[in-house]
Amino acid sequence: MLTIIIVFCQLSIVNWAHAQGIVEASIDSVQILVGEQTGYHISATVKPGQRVTFPQWKPQQMVTPGVEVVEQPRMDTIDANDGFIKVTQHLVLTSFEDTLYYIPKQPVKIDGKTLETKNLALKVLTVDVDTLHPNQFFGPKDVQENPFMWQEWRDLLLYSLLAVVLYVLCWLAYLRLKSDKPFEFKVKIVKKIPPHQKALSSIEELKNENVNGNGNFKEYYTQLTDAIRVYIEERFGFSAMEMTSSEIIERLRQENDGEKMQELVNLFETADLVKFAKYTVGISENDRNLVSAIDFINTTKQENAPTFERIEPTITKKQRQTMHIRLSLKWAIAIMIILATALVVFVCWQLYDIRS
């Protein structure tokens, strides 16, 4: 029971101390040479929101006679866990007399209540001087510049040289790109004459020329069948100009009725006889064949055919290679500019880091 009471009292005292706040003082080195410096730290562990006031110090102010503050104190705050924070005042101390100094307790106010740190000691040692050999005593040396070392600057020089080379290559690539003018591929929209109109116009011209009136039946039927072949090729989409009459008829039987096909068969047969067998036809038969051709065109013509045609540009193999080269040059220029700029930024950052 007595042990439990003691532990309970100790815990109560600890909780009460934490509630009031804890102040501490520490020193980085308890022993320095004359003129050396050491850090002196005063801290307070409190709850967030509590107000902490440290002693005010100024440069060259004495903490204790013989020990002075070197520079303006600085403050920082860190998390001390368990809901507490630790606020610390950092000082730099020095002394120019060799002796043992006692740094007194320092008052720290927490929410208006003053708590004190513990005492600390600082021993200052002198520098041994050999008075028996005064000729070996050397005074302070002047500030010396660091010697130039190639190893320290080699990488930066190489990076700078690489950046210059990349910029030069970018310029050369740009000149190469500028010297070759890009191809202009324009899509042309032209007015399209329907196949049946072209065929009827050709037949009309054939009638006006009145070739058959001169007895030149071969030329007459050649022009007439050529007009029909061109119409069939554009209307039905197969190479009628390169096919025989029977092949054309066989292909067209799937598209038209038998009566019209028979009239077209008679026309092609008559034309073949005239062109290859020197067959002679009368005027009435010529007119009948002409009417059969016109009737076939009017029967098979495509209504509402597009009146405009889109003509896409053709690209040669050489032009396609040139386009690929130009695209590659553009990508190369972009990549080299990015790399060169990154190298320049890196070199500048390294130079700034060295100077600072």
Side-chain angles (χ1 to χ4, degrees):
M1 180 62 70
L2 180 60
T3 302
I4 294 175
I5 294 173
I6 293 173
V7 171
F8 178 77
C9 292
Q10 289 177 344
L11 292 175
S12 299
I13 293 172
V14 170
N15 291 332
W16 177 83
H18 276 287
Q20 298 298 318
I22 299 176
V23 296
E24 297 174 326
S26 62
I27 191 168
D28 291 343
S29 178
V30 297
Q31 180 175 298
I32 61 174
L33 294 176
V34 171
E36 284 188 337
Q37 300 176 357
T38 185
Y40 180 54
H41 314 283
I42 305 171
S43 62
T45 303
V46 296
K47 290 185 176 181
Q50 289 185 300
R51 184 177 180 182
V52 180
T53 305
F54 292 99
Q56 300 299 312
W57 306 100
K58 296 181 180 179
Q60 298 183 351
Q61 182 179 352
M62 297 293 178
V63 176
T64 189
V67 180
E68 65 180 59
V69 178
V70 176
E71 57 187 24
Q72 191 71 25
R74 60 182 182 86
M75 306 286 297
D76 69 9
T77 302
I78 61 174
D79 187 5
N81 299 325
D82 296 330
F84 288 87
I85 59 173
K86 187 175 184 180
V87 185
T88 306
Q89 182 186 58
H90 302 279
L91 298 91
V92 179
L93 307 179
T94 189
S95 179
F96 299 97
E97 295 182 8
D98 57 328
T99 186
L100 179 63
Y101 296 97
Y102 287 96
I103 301 176
K105 301 176 181 180
Q106 302 298 326
V108 180
K109 290 185 178 181
I110 302 176
D111 287 342
K113 186 173 182 178
T114 302
L115 301 178
E116 293 183 341
T117 65
K118 61 182 179 180
N119 293 322
L120 294 176
L122 176 64
K123 186 175 183 180
V124 181
L125 304 176
T126 187
V127 178
D128 294 333
V129 178
D130 188 1
T131 57
L132 298 178
H133 303 87
N135 58 333
Q136 296 183 2
F137 181 77
F138 303 98
K141 295 183 179 180
D142 294 334
V143 177
Q144 297 180 354
E145 295 184 358
N146 292 329
F148 177 81
M149 299 183 65
W150 167 253
Q151 291 79 2
E152 296 179 353
W153 295 90
R154 179 184 58 190
D155 292 341
L156 293 182
L157 292 175
L158 290 177
Y159 291 150
S160 302
L161 180 61
L162 180 58
V164 172
V165 171
L166 288 175
Y167 279 127
V168 171
L169 292 177
C170 287
W171 177 250
L172 294 177
Y174 172 74
L175 294 178
R176 175 69 174 82
L177 191 65
K178 190 177 180 181
S179 63
D180 292 336
K181 294 183 179 180
F183 298 106
E184 295 184 359
F185 299 101
K186 295 182 179 179
V187 177
K188 295 182 180 180
I189 306 297
V190 298
K191 187 175 182 180
K192 182 180 180 181
I193 301 176
H196 67 275
Q197 291 185 7
K198 289 194 292 184
L200 293 175
S201 297
S202 299
I203 294 175
E204 187 66 25
E205 290 178 2
L206 182 61
K207 286 173 59 178
N208 294 333
E209 290 176 359
N210 197 17
V211 176
N212 58 328
N214 298 327
N216 194 343
F217 298 109
K218 182 177 181 180
E219 183 177 353
Y220 174 82
Y221 278 97
T222 298
Q223 294 183 19
L224 180 60
T225 54
D226 284 347
I228 296 297
R229 287 173 182 270
V230 171
Y231 167 74
I232 292 173
E233 186 168 314
E234 294 182 0
R235 170 62 179 86
F236 297 100
F238 60 88
S239 302
M241 296 295 295
E242 300 176 1
M243 300 172 67
T244 63
S245 300
S246 59
E247 291 174 341
I248 294 174
I249 296 300
E250 188 66 28
R251 185 70 178 269
L252 288 175
R253 287 190 184 280
Q254 304 173 5
E255 305 288 340
N256 294 276
D257 59 84
E259 182 180 354
K260 298 299 179 185
M261 285 298 98
Q262 186 59 43
E263 292 180 357
L264 194 62
V265 168
N266 295 333
L267 170 61
F268 276 115
E269 287 179 352
T270 303
D272 290 340
L273 290 173
V274 171
K275 289 188 291 183
F276 302 112
K278 297 181 180 182
Y279 177 72
T280 302
V281 294
I283 297 175
S284 60
E285 189 175 359
N286 290 338
D287 293 339
R288 186 172 58 254
N289 289 331
L290 188 66
V291 171
S292 298
I294 295 173
D295 190 38
F296 172 76
I297 293 172
N298 288 328
T299 304
T300 60
K301 68 180 181 181
Q302 192 174 23
E303 299 291 345
N304 300 323
T307 57
F308 292 94
E309 183 178 6
R310 178 186 176 93
I311 301 177
E312 298 285 346
T314 57
I315 303 176
T316 63
K317 183 178 181 181
K318 184 178 180 180
Q319 290 175 335
R320 194 178 300 277
Q321 291 176 351
T322 304
M323 292 173 60
H324 286 315
I325 292 174
R326 289 181 60 84
L327 182 61
S328 301
L329 284 175
K330 290 179 181 179
W331 274 106
I333 290 173
I335 293 173
M336 287 189 292
I337 288 177
I338 294 173
L339 290 177
T341 305
L343 287 174
V344 170
V345 172
F346 176 76
V347 170
C348 292
W349 178 74
Q350 290 293 326
L351 291 175
Y352 175 79
D353 189 52
I354 291 174
R355 289 188 61 184
S356 60

